[in-house]
Amino acid sequence: MRAVPRWALLSSAAAPVFLIGGWTLAAARQPGGFDQVGDTISALAAVDAADRWIMTVGLLGLGLCHCVTAAGLRPARPAGRLLLALGGVATLAVAALPLPAMSGASAPHRAAAVVAFGALALWPALAAPARRPPGDAAAPASHGTAAAALLLGLVGWLVVELVGGGARVGLAERVAAGAEALCPLLAVLALGGGRRRAGGPP
């Protein structure tokens, strides 16, 4: 029996592809270019964005991948898996509640984004198993706490840019979102993704 099923490994690997591929392709489709350092990911899925479906599909794929990965992270603690799934559902809500305009704002969209960024930053701290079962390559709890601290720091940078009207909001968001998208893949690999439990059935 595999510690983490292959389909969870695939979903966790697909998550950053959906996100990064989505913002890269969507930005390339904007007339006159798009400033990925200063402008947000959400602007690419706004109602008036060109080919907004590209970033919308990217966000939907990202959210679904997080939900699937959460279901497959069997060695992880339930609280962490639930937070990862919550982050996935909130990401789906971000896609379902687009900005009314590329330069506009939306309270429901903002609320969904806050939940998504928060849950996806905190889940590693609650996911690491308290002890390592025989044959499992589970990461110790301290690794999860360190990962969460790093992610929270990146999200904090994003908050500072947003509140202060900084010129690097887009960069801060992409760094934070990209790190959060990669974290489940690292967790799957650390928890035995693609490997069988020692002594388990083939």
Side-chain angles (χ1 to χ4, degrees):
M1 180 179 178
R2 297 184 186 279
V4 179
R6 281 182 176 172
W7 48 265
L9 177 61
L10 291 174
S11 65
S12 63
V17 175
F18 272 111
L19 178 64
I20 298 171
W23 81 47
T24 301
L25 291 175
R29 296 296 299 167
Q30 302 311 306
F34 185 83
D35 181 9
Q36 299 215 58
V37 173
D39 294 325
T40 66
I41 297 169
S42 294
L44 294 169
V47 172
D48 64 343
D51 293 322
R52 61 178 296 267
W53 65 268
I54 297 174
M55 194 66 248
T56 300
V57 168
L59 291 170
L60 290 173
L62 175 66
L64 288 173
C65 284
H66 285 331
C67 292
V68 171
T69 303
L73 273 176
R74 297 164 184 164
R77 287 177 172 174
R81 295 171 66 186
L82 284 173
L83 264 186
L84 176 57
L86 174 61
V89 171
T91 302
L92 295 176
V94 168
L97 301 166
L99 294 175
M102 294 182 73
S103 59
S106 165
H109 180 89
R110 185 185 303 113
V114 167
V115 173
F117 272 110
L120 293 174
L122 290 171
W123 80 268
L126 302 180
R131 55 184 176 178
R132 185 176 302 182
D136 274 358
S142 60
H143 291 188
T145 302
L150 173 61
L151 294 174
L152 284 171
L154 295 176
V155 172
W157 175 31
L158 171 59
V159 171
V160 169
E161 290 287 337
L162 285 169
V163 173
R168 296 181 177 84
V169 173
L171 176 62
E173 184 184 30
R174 282 161 177 77
V175 172
E180 290 186 338
L182 283 169
C183 190
L185 173 60
L186 299 179
V188 166
L189 294 174
L191 292 170
R195 298 194 297 272
R196 300 184 188 278
R197 292 179 186 271

